Amino acid sequence: MVCLGNICRSPLAEGILKSKLPENIFFIDSAGTSNYHIGEQPDPRAIAIAKKYGIDISAQKGRQFVVSDFDAFDYIYAMDSENFNNIVNLARNSEDVSKVKLILEELNDSSITNVPDPYYGGEQGFENVYQLLDEACTSIVNKLTTH
Ligand code: 4NP
């Protein structure tokens, strides 16, 4: 799960997907394309919205996406098209590129492709982000567990 800062959207996506899949079978992590918040805890607003739905993301630490993530993961979900482009620019070959997806393409709603960046918005932004990610993660789980 990859966003820009790895303190708002992707930590939520990591926590939500982890809550829906067995940890001994699926290795799930998140990262940011930027180096802005390396080592930091998720944004307090992200921690709060996750807690509202029974998920604890407070132990996560921000890290930056690295090229070796292409080797470590089968699927790389970008939160928006800017993150998507930044990740694809780091790809070494077509196999790397083929792992990168926009997370909202997992939804059957083509009207929204980017998870809005909630960093400069209010609490409603985080609620909206949570609901989008929860739906997308449910689709991902269905795909991963039925194929
Ligand atoms: P995220 O949100 O990419 O969902 O973690 C942001 C966090 C920090 C910044 C931008 C977006 N920032 O500019 O510091």
Side-chain angles (χ1 to χ4, degrees):
M1 298 300 190
V2 184
C3 62
L4 175 62
N6 192 212
I7 54 168
C8 298
R9 291 165 292 177
S10 61
L12 281 171
E14 176 188 334
I16 292 167
L17 191 60
K18 276 182 172 166
S19 77
K20 296 177 190 288
L21 288 170
E23 210 168 328
N24 58 330
I25 300 176
F26 293 92
F27 178 58
I28 301 159
D29 197 11
S30 65
T33 55
S34 77
N35 61 4
Y36 303 159
H37 298 282
I38 292 173
E40 291 180 23
Q41 238 193 345
D43 186 286
R45 296 165 295 176
I47 293 174
I49 201 75
K51 192 174 173 197
K52 177 179 169 187
Y53 293 102
I55 295 173
D56 182 4
I57 63 165
S58 64
Q60 291 186 33
K61 292 272 177 287
R63 74 173 181 93
Q64 189 171 20
F65 183 87
V66 288
V67 170
S68 60
D69 286 324
F70 287 114
D71 300 319
F73 296 92
D74 298 315
Y75 300 95
I76 298 168
Y77 290 105
M79 298 297 124
D80 65 34
S81 52
E82 186 183 318
N83 313 145
F84 180 92
N85 290 335
N86 287 334
I87 301 162
V88 165
N89 283 338
L90 295 172
R92 300 156 299 184
N93 51 50
S94 59
E95 192 190 348
D96 287 355
V97 173
S98 71
K99 292 184 174 185
V100 191
K101 302 178 190 317
L102 274 171
I103 190 166
L104 292 191
E105 283 182 357
E106 298 296 326
L107 295 180
N108 290 323
D109 177 0
S110 59
S111 69
I112 174 160
T113 53
N114 293 333
V115 182
D117 184 345
Y119 188 59
Y120 295 106
E123 299 298 330
Q124 189 50 41
F126 280 83
E127 181 72 47
N128 178 45
V129 164
Y130 188 93
Q131 297 305 333
L132 285 171
L133 292 176
D134 192 50
E135 259 191 78
C137 287
T138 296
S139 287
I140 291 170
V141 167
N142 288 339
K143 206 160 90 171
L144 293 179
T145 55
T146 56
H147 288 274

Coordinates of all heavy atoms in Angstrom, one line a residue, residues 33 35 44 123:
T33 N 5.9 7.4 -1.2 CA 6.9 7.7 -2.3 C 7.8 8.8 -1.8 O 8.9 8.9 -2.3 CB 6.1 8.2 -3.5 OG1 5.3 9.3 -3.2 CG2 5.3 7.0 -4.1
N35 N 10.1 11.1 1.2 CA 10.8 10.8 2.5 C 10.4 11.7 3.6 O 11.1 11.9 4.6 CB 12.3 11.0 2.2 CG 12.7 12.4 1.7 OD1 11.8 13.2 1.7 ND2 14.0 12.6 1.4
P44 N -2.4 11.5 13.6 CA -3.4 11.2 14.7 C -4.8 11.0 14.2 O -5.6 10.2 14.8 CB -3.3 12.4 15.6 CG -2.0 13.1 15.3 CD -1.7 12.7 13.9
E123 N -11.8 16.0 9.5 CA -12.1 14.6 9.9 C -13.0 13.9 8.8 O -12.8 12.7 8.6 CB -12.9 14.6 11.2 CG -12.2 15.3 12.3 CD -10.9 14.5 12.7 OE1 -10.8 13.3 12.5 OE2 -9.9 15.2 13.2

